[in-house]
Amino acid sequence: MAQRLTIDRPSDGHLHLRDGAGMAAVVAHSARVFSRAVVMPNLSPPVVTVDLAAAYRERILAALPSGSAFEPLMTLYLTDSTRGSEIRAAKDSGFVVAAKLYPAGATTHSDRGVTGIDRIAPVLAELAACGLPLLVHGEVADPAVDIFDRERVFVDRVLAPLVERWPDLKVVLEHVSTREGVQFVSASSPLVAATVTPQHLLLDVNDLLAGGVRPHHYCLPVLKSREHRQAVTAAATSDSPKFFLGTDSAPHPRSRKECGCGAAGVFSAHAAIELYAEAFEAAGALDRLAAFATRRGPDFYGLPRAAGSVTLVRQPWRVPASYPFGDDVVVPLRAGETVAWRVIAEGEAQ
Ligand code: DOR
Ligand code: ZN
């Protein structure tokens, strides 16, 4: 069994950094290991223009620990009134790399999201023309559909027709969580890909609900059955270029998770690459971790490979019970428990 693994600095294809003091508290966790991240735009109010994305990017850069080389790759939040001209401006900006489709009502801060694909048809045409990817939160918000079926139904009702109508559009099914999602992406053209989170590789619905409700395992898309987790794991650890790392690390204050109606989101930035290493090791696929974490995402986005490397050693460490998060704390994935892999600091003797 490999005890030590060196890979290029990875890229996070899907990250929630929040804003203000919370963002300043969490961004260093990502910058510690990742060379860059695709930053989600679901702030309140959301990042709907290139100007807002530019200002948010500056705030992120200003909050980075000195000396860190971390590139925030910005995204635009699509609404029913996003114009094609904003997409063109995004492409010209150089720092906006994608647009995010939140079906209205599907998840955190999605109330200004898109109410019907027809409403953004000119925007999708412009994205395809510019070569900018459409990032999709792939769940229907239809209250008549069970929460466990929302991704599968989205694939049938929304994603399949969308990909057929815009065959030249790059599309990422974010945080894929079902066998049907995996199958759709696998069967689609090379322009259709998916990100995979650590929680959808390591956990299933029993880890959310069996023996007590674990609010820190609650995220959207919700954790599925073991069978779906196995399908997602098989895809991530395969040699397909379509499945790549996107943590969906989504911090919420502890008080918003441990309450009568807890927010969706798993915070994993403190140990993301380490947790992926566990999942890949368990699948007997550690040799694929580098491609998944460092090459496939940048290749899909047309970005250069990142400079620098990180070294992981198989040396268990205990995750703290919480980390500072603005005027509250955030409870991380594996809080108080151990993670099998550790990133060694540059120059650290091992
Ligand atoms: O669990 C989630 N948390 N899923 C999302 O889609 C949004 C995210 C958040 O922003 O908290
Ligand atoms: Zn997300």
PDB file of all heavy atoms in Angstrom, residues 62-96:
ATOM      1  N   ALA A  62      -7.817  39.638  -1.366  1.00  0.00           N
ATOM      2  CA  ALA A  62      -7.372  40.432  -0.209  1.00  0.00           C
ATOM      3  C   ALA A  62      -7.382  39.607   1.076  1.00  0.00           C
ATOM      4  O   ALA A  62      -6.659  39.922   2.025  1.00  0.00           O
ATOM      5  CB  ALA A  62      -8.254  41.665  -0.049  1.00  0.00           C
ATOM      6  N   ALA A  63      -8.206  38.566   1.119  1.00  0.00           N
ATOM      7  CA  ALA A  63      -8.330  37.748   2.340  1.00  0.00           C
ATOM      8  C   ALA A  63      -7.326  36.592   2.384  1.00  0.00           C
ATOM      9  O   ALA A  63      -7.237  35.896   3.400  1.00  0.00           O
ATOM     10  CB  ALA A  63      -9.751  37.188   2.435  1.00  0.00           C
ATOM     11  N   LEU A  64      -6.584  36.386   1.289  1.00  0.00           N
ATOM     12  CA  LEU A  64      -5.646  35.258   1.251  1.00  0.00           C
ATOM     13  C   LEU A  64      -4.459  35.505   2.168  1.00  0.00           C
ATOM     14  O   LEU A  64      -3.982  36.633   2.270  1.00  0.00           O
ATOM     15  CB  LEU A  64      -5.128  35.055  -0.182  1.00  0.00           C
ATOM     16  CG  LEU A  64      -6.083  34.401  -1.164  1.00  0.00           C
ATOM     17  CD1 LEU A  64      -5.508  34.491  -2.584  1.00  0.00           C
ATOM     18  CD2 LEU A  64      -6.325  32.939  -0.783  1.00  0.00           C
ATOM     19  N   PRO A  65      -3.971  34.461   2.822  1.00  0.00           N
ATOM     20  CA  PRO A  65      -2.742  34.625   3.609  1.00  0.00           C
ATOM     21  C   PRO A  65      -1.615  35.082   2.681  1.00  0.00           C
ATOM     22  O   PRO A  65      -1.567  34.660   1.517  1.00  0.00           O
ATOM     23  CB  PRO A  65      -2.465  33.211   4.134  1.00  0.00           C
ATOM     24  CG  PRO A  65      -3.720  32.434   3.946  1.00  0.00           C
ATOM     25  CD  PRO A  65      -4.458  33.077   2.820  1.00  0.00           C
ATOM     26  N   SER A  66      -0.729  35.929   3.198  1.00  0.00           N
ATOM     27  CA  SER A  66       0.316  36.440   2.319  1.00  0.00           C
ATOM     28  C   SER A  66       1.178  35.298   1.807  1.00  0.00           C
ATOM     29  O   SER A  66       1.439  34.327   2.526  1.00  0.00           O
ATOM     30  CB  SER A  66       1.156  37.492   3.039  1.00  0.00           C
ATOM     31  OG  SER A  66       1.826  36.882   4.098  1.00  0.00           O
ATOM     32  N   GLY A  67       1.543  35.425   0.561  1.00  0.00           N
ATOM     33  CA  GLY A  67       2.400  34.407  -0.053  1.00  0.00           C
ATOM     34  C   GLY A  67       1.640  33.259  -0.666  1.00  0.00           C
ATOM     35  O   GLY A  67       2.234  32.399  -1.311  1.00  0.00           O
ATOM     36  N   SER A  68       0.309  33.204  -0.485  1.00  0.00           N
ATOM     37  CA  SER A  68      -0.377  32.049  -1.081  1.00  0.00           C
ATOM     38  C   SER A  68      -0.698  32.324  -2.545  1.00  0.00           C
ATOM     39  O   SER A  68      -1.094  33.430  -2.918  1.00  0.00           O
ATOM     40  CB  SER A  68      -1.630  31.661  -0.296  1.00  0.00           C
ATOM     41  OG  SER A  68      -2.521  32.714  -0.253  1.00  0.00           O
ATOM     42  N   ALA A  69      -0.478  31.300  -3.349  1.00  0.00           N
ATOM     43  CA  ALA A  69      -0.762  31.407  -4.780  1.00  0.00           C
ATOM     44  C   ALA A  69      -2.038  30.631  -5.039  1.00  0.00           C
ATOM     45  O   ALA A  69      -2.011  29.429  -5.267  1.00  0.00           O
ATOM     46  CB  ALA A  69       0.401  30.824  -5.573  1.00  0.00           C
ATOM     47  N   PHE A  70      -3.155  31.303  -4.922  1.00  0.00           N
ATOM     48  CA  PHE A  70      -4.464  30.650  -5.079  1.00  0.00           C
ATOM     49  C   PHE A  70      -5.283  31.523  -6.003  1.00  0.00           C
ATOM     50  O   PHE A  70      -5.436  32.723  -5.765  1.00  0.00           O
ATOM     51  CB  PHE A  70      -5.145  30.526  -3.710  1.00  0.00           C
ATOM     52  CG  PHE A  70      -6.560  29.996  -3.764  1.00  0.00           C
ATOM     53  CD1 PHE A  70      -6.803  28.636  -3.922  1.00  0.00           C
ATOM     54  CD2 PHE A  70      -7.648  30.866  -3.646  1.00  0.00           C
ATOM     55  CE1 PHE A  70      -8.109  28.156  -3.957  1.00  0.00           C
ATOM     56  CE2 PHE A  70      -8.960  30.381  -3.674  1.00  0.00           C
ATOM     57  CZ  PHE A  70      -9.180  29.022  -3.833  1.00  0.00           C
ATOM     58  N   GLU A  71      -5.774  30.920  -7.063  1.00  0.00           N
ATOM     59  CA  GLU A  71      -6.511  31.696  -8.055  1.00  0.00           C
ATOM     60  C   GLU A  71      -8.006  31.417  -7.951  1.00  0.00           C
ATOM     61  O   GLU A  71      -8.444  30.294  -8.200  1.00  0.00           O
ATOM     62  CB  GLU A  71      -6.018  31.321  -9.464  1.00  0.00           C
ATOM     63  CG  GLU A  71      -6.553  32.228 -10.522  1.00  0.00           C
ATOM     64  CD  GLU A  71      -6.165  31.779 -11.940  1.00  0.00           C
ATOM     65  OE1 GLU A  71      -5.523  30.721 -12.088  1.00  0.00           O
ATOM     66  OE2 GLU A  71      -6.533  32.488 -12.874  1.00  0.00           O
ATOM     67  N   PRO A  72      -8.791  32.425  -7.566  1.00  0.00           N
ATOM     68  CA  PRO A  72     -10.244  32.227  -7.572  1.00  0.00           C
ATOM     69  C   PRO A  72     -10.779  32.386  -9.000  1.00  0.00           C
ATOM     70  O   PRO A  72     -10.574  33.421  -9.628  1.00  0.00           O
ATOM     71  CB  PRO A  72     -10.762  33.348  -6.661  1.00  0.00           C
ATOM     72  CG  PRO A  72      -9.670  34.351  -6.541  1.00  0.00           C
ATOM     73  CD  PRO A  72      -8.406  33.766  -7.106  1.00  0.00           C
ATOM     74  N   LEU A  73     -11.412  31.360  -9.487  1.00  0.00           N
ATOM     75  CA  LEU A  73     -12.003  31.397 -10.824  1.00  0.00           C
ATOM     76  C   LEU A  73     -13.484  31.703 -10.622  1.00  0.00           C
ATOM     77  O   LEU A  73     -14.200  30.950  -9.954  1.00  0.00           O
ATOM     78  CB  LEU A  73     -11.817  30.042 -11.520  1.00  0.00           C
ATOM     79  CG  LEU A  73     -10.366  29.561 -11.626  1.00  0.00           C
ATOM     80  CD1 LEU A  73     -10.310  28.092 -12.059  1.00  0.00           C
ATOM     81  CD2 LEU A  73      -9.589  30.433 -12.609  1.00  0.00           C
ATOM     82  N   MET A  74     -13.935  32.810 -11.171  1.00  0.00           N
ATOM     83  CA  MET A  74     -15.252  33.323 -10.804  1.00  0.00           C
ATOM     84  C   MET A  74     -16.355  32.787 -11.727  1.00  0.00           C
ATOM     85  O   MET A  74     -16.108  32.399 -12.874  1.00  0.00           O
ATOM     86  CB  MET A  74     -15.242  34.854 -10.829  1.00  0.00           C
ATOM     87  CG  MET A  74     -14.108  35.488 -10.024  1.00  0.00           C
ATOM     88  SD  MET A  74     -13.907  34.830  -8.347  1.00  0.00           S
ATOM     89  CE  MET A  74     -15.410  35.459  -7.581  1.00  0.00           C
ATOM     90  N   THR A  75     -17.574  32.802 -11.180  1.00  0.00           N
ATOM     91  CA  THR A  75     -18.735  32.343 -11.949  1.00  0.00           C
ATOM     92  C   THR A  75     -19.859  33.367 -11.818  1.00  0.00           C
ATOM     93  O   THR A  75     -19.923  34.115 -10.841  1.00  0.00           O
ATOM     94  CB  THR A  75     -19.241  30.985 -11.417  1.00  0.00           C
ATOM     95  OG1 THR A  75     -19.556  31.111 -10.021  1.00  0.00           O
ATOM     96  CG2 THR A  75     -18.185  29.897 -11.579  1.00  0.00           C
ATOM     97  N   LEU A  76     -20.746  33.371 -12.802  1.00  0.00           N
ATOM     98  CA  LEU A  76     -21.938  34.235 -12.767  1.00  0.00           C
ATOM     99  C   LEU A  76     -23.152  33.406 -12.402  1.00  0.00           C
ATOM    100  O   LEU A  76     -23.333  32.293 -12.911  1.00  0.00           O
ATOM    101  CB  LEU A  76     -22.206  34.870 -14.142  1.00  0.00           C
ATOM    102  CG  LEU A  76     -21.313  35.976 -14.639  1.00  0.00           C
ATOM    103  CD1 LEU A  76     -21.961  36.619 -15.870  1.00  0.00           C
ATOM    104  CD2 LEU A  76     -21.042  37.024 -13.575  1.00  0.00           C
ATOM    105  N   TYR A  77     -24.009  33.976 -11.589  1.00  0.00           N
ATOM    106  CA  TYR A  77     -25.267  33.339 -11.174  1.00  0.00           C
ATOM    107  C   TYR A  77     -26.319  33.726 -12.209  1.00  0.00           C
ATOM    108  O   TYR A  77     -26.596  34.923 -12.409  1.00  0.00           O
ATOM    109  CB  TYR A  77     -25.588  33.897  -9.803  1.00  0.00           C
ATOM    110  CG  TYR A  77     -26.823  33.414  -9.089  1.00  0.00           C
ATOM    111  CD1 TYR A  77     -26.705  32.650  -7.916  1.00  0.00           C
ATOM    112  CD2 TYR A  77     -28.103  33.783  -9.493  1.00  0.00           C
ATOM    113  CE1 TYR A  77     -27.827  32.258  -7.202  1.00  0.00           C
ATOM    114  CE2 TYR A  77     -29.224  33.383  -8.781  1.00  0.00           C
ATOM    115  CZ  TYR A  77     -29.080  32.624  -7.644  1.00  0.00           C
ATOM    116  OH  TYR A  77     -30.188  32.242  -6.925  1.00  0.00           O
ATOM    117  N   LEU A  78     -26.868  32.754 -12.877  1.00  0.00           N
ATOM    118  CA  LEU A  78     -27.866  33.055 -13.908  1.00  0.00           C
ATOM    119  C   LEU A  78     -29.234  33.302 -13.278  1.00  0.00           C
ATOM    120  O   LEU A  78     -29.649  32.585 -12.362  1.00  0.00           O
ATOM    121  CB  LEU A  78     -27.974  31.898 -14.903  1.00  0.00           C
ATOM    122  CG  LEU A  78     -26.720  31.595 -15.720  1.00  0.00           C
ATOM    123  CD1 LEU A  78     -26.975  30.414 -16.661  1.00  0.00           C
ATOM    124  CD2 LEU A  78     -26.270  32.824 -16.522  1.00  0.00           C
ATOM    125  N   THR A  79     -29.916  34.314 -13.778  1.00  0.00           N
ATOM    126  CA  THR A  79     -31.314  34.577 -13.396  1.00  0.00           C
ATOM    127  C   THR A  79     -32.128  34.620 -14.683  1.00  0.00           C
ATOM    128  O   THR A  79     -31.573  34.600 -15.794  1.00  0.00           O
ATOM    129  CB  THR A  79     -31.471  35.926 -12.675  1.00  0.00           C
ATOM    130  OG1 THR A  79     -31.338  36.978 -13.640  1.00  0.00           O
ATOM    131  CG2 THR A  79     -30.438  36.112 -11.576  1.00  0.00           C
ATOM    132  N   ASP A  80     -33.439  34.735 -14.526  1.00  0.00           N
ATOM    133  CA  ASP A  80     -34.292  34.835 -15.713  1.00  0.00           C
ATOM    134  C   ASP A  80     -33.957  36.075 -16.538  1.00  0.00           C
ATOM    135  O   ASP A  80     -34.282  36.149 -17.716  1.00  0.00           O
ATOM    136  CB  ASP A  80     -35.771  34.894 -15.296  1.00  0.00           C
ATOM    137  CG  ASP A  80     -36.283  33.531 -14.845  1.00  0.00           C
ATOM    138  OD1 ASP A  80     -35.541  32.546 -14.982  1.00  0.00           O
ATOM    139  OD2 ASP A  80     -37.436  33.468 -14.362  1.00  0.00           O
ATOM    140  N   SER A  81     -33.328  37.076 -15.910  1.00  0.00           N
ATOM    141  CA  SER A  81     -33.065  38.299 -16.672  1.00  0.00           C
ATOM    142  C   SER A  81     -31.604  38.489 -17.065  1.00  0.00           C
ATOM    143  O   SER A  81     -31.227  39.557 -17.549  1.00  0.00           O
ATOM    144  CB  SER A  81     -33.603  39.520 -15.917  1.00  0.00           C
ATOM    145  OG  SER A  81     -33.357  39.408 -14.553  1.00  0.00           O
ATOM    146  N   THR A  82     -30.760  37.451 -16.891  1.00  0.00           N
ATOM    147  CA  THR A  82     -29.376  37.559 -17.384  1.00  0.00           C
ATOM    148  C   THR A  82     -29.399  37.773 -18.901  1.00  0.00           C
ATOM    149  O   THR A  82     -30.148  37.124 -19.621  1.00  0.00           O
ATOM    150  CB  THR A  82     -28.574  36.281 -17.067  1.00  0.00           C
ATOM    151  OG1 THR A  82     -28.650  36.017 -15.674  1.00  0.00           O
ATOM    152  CG2 THR A  82     -27.117  36.441 -17.475  1.00  0.00           C
ATOM    153  N   ARG A  83     -28.554  38.698 -19.356  1.00  0.00           N
ATOM    154  CA  ARG A  83     -28.512  38.976 -20.797  1.00  0.00           C
ATOM    155  C   ARG A  83     -27.302  38.304 -21.451  1.00  0.00           C
ATOM    156  O   ARG A  83     -26.276  38.115 -20.808  1.00  0.00           O
ATOM    157  CB  ARG A  83     -28.369  40.484 -21.035  1.00  0.00           C
ATOM    158  CG  ARG A  83     -29.575  41.276 -20.625  1.00  0.00           C
ATOM    159  CD  ARG A  83     -29.195  42.744 -20.485  1.00  0.00           C
ATOM    160  NE  ARG A  83     -30.348  43.485 -20.008  1.00  0.00           N
ATOM    161  CZ  ARG A  83     -31.167  44.161 -20.813  1.00  0.00           C
ATOM    162  NH1 ARG A  83     -30.943  44.239 -22.102  1.00  0.00           N
ATOM    163  NH2 ARG A  83     -32.199  44.799 -20.316  1.00  0.00           N
ATOM    164  N   GLY A  84     -27.457  38.051 -22.731  1.00  0.00           N
ATOM    165  CA  GLY A  84     -26.347  37.493 -23.510  1.00  0.00           C
ATOM    166  C   GLY A  84     -25.121  38.384 -23.451  1.00  0.00           C
ATOM    167  O   GLY A  84     -23.984  37.901 -23.430  1.00  0.00           O
ATOM    168  N   SER A  85     -25.333  39.705 -23.384  1.00  0.00           N
ATOM    169  CA  SER A  85     -24.196  40.637 -23.368  1.00  0.00           C
ATOM    170  C   SER A  85     -23.351  40.457 -22.097  1.00  0.00           C
ATOM    171  O   SER A  85     -22.134  40.679 -22.118  1.00  0.00           O
ATOM    172  CB  SER A  85     -24.682  42.082 -23.484  1.00  0.00           C
ATOM    173  OG  SER A  85     -25.596  42.364 -22.447  1.00  0.00           O
ATOM    174  N   GLU A  86     -23.994  40.053 -20.986  1.00  0.00           N
ATOM    175  CA  GLU A  86     -23.247  39.819 -19.741  1.00  0.00           C
ATOM    176  C   GLU A  86     -22.329  38.606 -19.907  1.00  0.00           C
ATOM    177  O   GLU A  86     -21.224  38.555 -19.362  1.00  0.00           O
ATOM    178  CB  GLU A  86     -24.228  39.604 -18.580  1.00  0.00           C
ATOM    179  CG  GLU A  86     -23.633  39.825 -17.209  1.00  0.00           C
ATOM    180  CD  GLU A  86     -23.240  41.283 -16.932  1.00  0.00           C
ATOM    181  OE1 GLU A  86     -24.015  42.197 -17.290  1.00  0.00           O
ATOM    182  OE2 GLU A  86     -22.150  41.483 -16.381  1.00  0.00           O
ATOM    183  N   ILE A  87     -22.793  37.628 -20.657  1.00  0.00           N
ATOM    184  CA  ILE A  87     -21.980  36.427 -20.905  1.00  0.00           C
ATOM    185  C   ILE A  87     -20.763  36.790 -21.751  1.00  0.00           C
ATOM    186  O   ILE A  87     -19.635  36.360 -21.469  1.00  0.00           O
ATOM    187  CB  ILE A  87     -22.832  35.342 -21.611  1.00  0.00           C
ATOM    188  CG1 ILE A  87     -24.041  34.962 -20.744  1.00  0.00           C
ATOM    189  CG2 ILE A  87     -21.975  34.138 -21.975  1.00  0.00           C
ATOM    190  CD1 ILE A  87     -23.715  34.441 -19.358  1.00  0.00           C
ATOM    191  N   ARG A  88     -21.000  37.620 -22.749  1.00  0.00           N
ATOM    192  CA  ARG A  88     -19.878  38.062 -23.600  1.00  0.00           C
ATOM    193  C   ARG A  88     -18.859  38.821 -22.744  1.00  0.00           C
ATOM    194  O   ARG A  88     -17.645  38.617 -22.843  1.00  0.00           O
ATOM    195  CB  ARG A  88     -20.447  38.935 -24.737  1.00  0.00           C
ATOM    196  CG  ARG A  88     -19.451  39.557 -25.674  1.00  0.00           C
ATOM    197  CD  ARG A  88     -18.621  38.574 -26.465  1.00  0.00           C
ATOM    198  NE  ARG A  88     -19.386  37.659 -27.298  1.00  0.00           N
ATOM    199  CZ  ARG A  88     -18.847  36.660 -27.998  1.00  0.00           C
ATOM    200  NH1 ARG A  88     -17.533  36.461 -27.947  1.00  0.00           N
ATOM    201  NH2 ARG A  88     -19.595  35.869 -28.725  1.00  0.00           N
ATOM    202  N   ALA A  89     -19.367  39.694 -21.861  1.00  0.00           N
ATOM    203  CA  ALA A  89     -18.472  40.455 -20.970  1.00  0.00           C
ATOM    204  C   ALA A  89     -17.719  39.502 -20.033  1.00  0.00           C
ATOM    205  O   ALA A  89     -16.551  39.727 -19.718  1.00  0.00           O
ATOM    206  CB  ALA A  89     -19.271  41.472 -20.161  1.00  0.00           C
ATOM    207  N   ALA A  90     -18.397  38.457 -19.600  1.00  0.00           N
ATOM    208  CA  ALA A  90     -17.749  37.468 -18.727  1.00  0.00           C
ATOM    209  C   ALA A  90     -16.590  36.808 -19.457  1.00  0.00           C
ATOM    210  O   ALA A  90     -15.479  36.671 -18.915  1.00  0.00           O
ATOM    211  CB  ALA A  90     -18.763  36.422 -18.273  1.00  0.00           C
ATOM    212  N   LYS A  91     -16.838  36.424 -20.677  1.00  0.00           N
ATOM    213  CA  LYS A  91     -15.778  35.788 -21.469  1.00  0.00           C
ATOM    214  C   LYS A  91     -14.602  36.747 -21.632  1.00  0.00           C
ATOM    215  O   LYS A  91     -13.439  36.366 -21.454  1.00  0.00           O
ATOM    216  CB  LYS A  91     -16.350  35.380 -22.835  1.00  0.00           C
ATOM    217  CG  LYS A  91     -15.334  34.855 -23.816  1.00  0.00           C
ATOM    218  CD  LYS A  91     -14.818  33.499 -23.393  1.00  0.00           C
ATOM    219  CE  LYS A  91     -13.790  32.971 -24.392  1.00  0.00           C
ATOM    220  NZ  LYS A  91     -13.217  31.702 -23.942  1.00  0.00           N
ATOM    221  N   ASP A  92     -14.914  38.007 -21.945  1.00  0.00           N
ATOM    222  CA  ASP A  92     -13.849  38.996 -22.175  1.00  0.00           C
ATOM    223  C   ASP A  92     -13.067  39.307 -20.899  1.00  0.00           C
ATOM    224  O   ASP A  92     -11.914  39.722 -20.969  1.00  0.00           O
ATOM    225  CB  ASP A  92     -14.449  40.293 -22.742  1.00  0.00           C
ATOM    226  CG  ASP A  92     -14.996  40.089 -24.151  1.00  0.00           C
ATOM    227  OD1 ASP A  92     -14.640  39.063 -24.779  1.00  0.00           O
ATOM    228  OD2 ASP A  92     -15.783  40.931 -24.624  1.00  0.00           O
ATOM    229  N   SER A  93     -13.706  39.122 -19.741  1.00  0.00           N
ATOM    230  CA  SER A  93     -13.046  39.489 -18.473  1.00  0.00           C
ATOM    231  C   SER A  93     -11.801  38.645 -18.222  1.00  0.00           C
ATOM    232  O   SER A  93     -10.849  39.098 -17.593  1.00  0.00           O
ATOM    233  CB  SER A  93     -14.012  39.296 -17.294  1.00  0.00           C
ATOM    234  OG  SER A  93     -14.118  37.916 -16.949  1.00  0.00           O
ATOM    235  N   GLY A  94     -11.833  37.399 -18.657  1.00  0.00           N
ATOM    236  CA  GLY A  94     -10.709  36.498 -18.397  1.00  0.00           C
ATOM    237  C   GLY A  94     -10.779  35.829 -17.031  1.00  0.00           C
ATOM    238  O   GLY A  94     -10.242  34.749 -16.855  1.00  0.00           O
ATOM    239  N   PHE A  95     -11.455  36.436 -16.053  1.00  0.00           N
ATOM    240  CA  PHE A  95     -11.496  35.807 -14.721  1.00  0.00           C
ATOM    241  C   PHE A  95     -12.821  35.128 -14.417  1.00  0.00           C
ATOM    242  O   PHE A  95     -12.933  34.420 -13.416  1.00  0.00           O
ATOM    243  CB  PHE A  95     -11.128  36.804 -13.613  1.00  0.00           C
ATOM    244  CG  PHE A  95     -11.986  38.042 -13.578  1.00  0.00           C
ATOM    245  CD1 PHE A  95     -13.244  38.004 -12.995  1.00  0.00           C
ATOM    246  CD2 PHE A  95     -11.549  39.228 -14.143  1.00  0.00           C
ATOM    247  CE1 PHE A  95     -14.055  39.125 -12.970  1.00  0.00           C
ATOM    248  CE2 PHE A  95     -12.347  40.363 -14.122  1.00  0.00           C
ATOM    249  CZ  PHE A  95     -13.598  40.310 -13.537  1.00  0.00           C
ATOM    250  N   VAL A  96     -13.843  35.359 -15.237  1.00  0.00           N
ATOM    251  CA  VAL A  96     -15.097  34.608 -15.078  1.00  0.00           C
ATOM    252  C   VAL A  96     -15.011  33.406 -16.013  1.00  0.00           C
ATOM    253  O   VAL A  96     -14.847  33.564 -17.221  1.00  0.00           O
ATOM    254  CB  VAL A  96     -16.338  35.466 -15.395  1.00  0.00           C
ATOM    255  CG1 VAL A  96     -17.599  34.622 -15.312  1.00  0.00           C
ATOM    256  CG2 VAL A  96     -16.424  36.652 -14.450  1.00  0.00           C
TER     257      VAL A  96
END
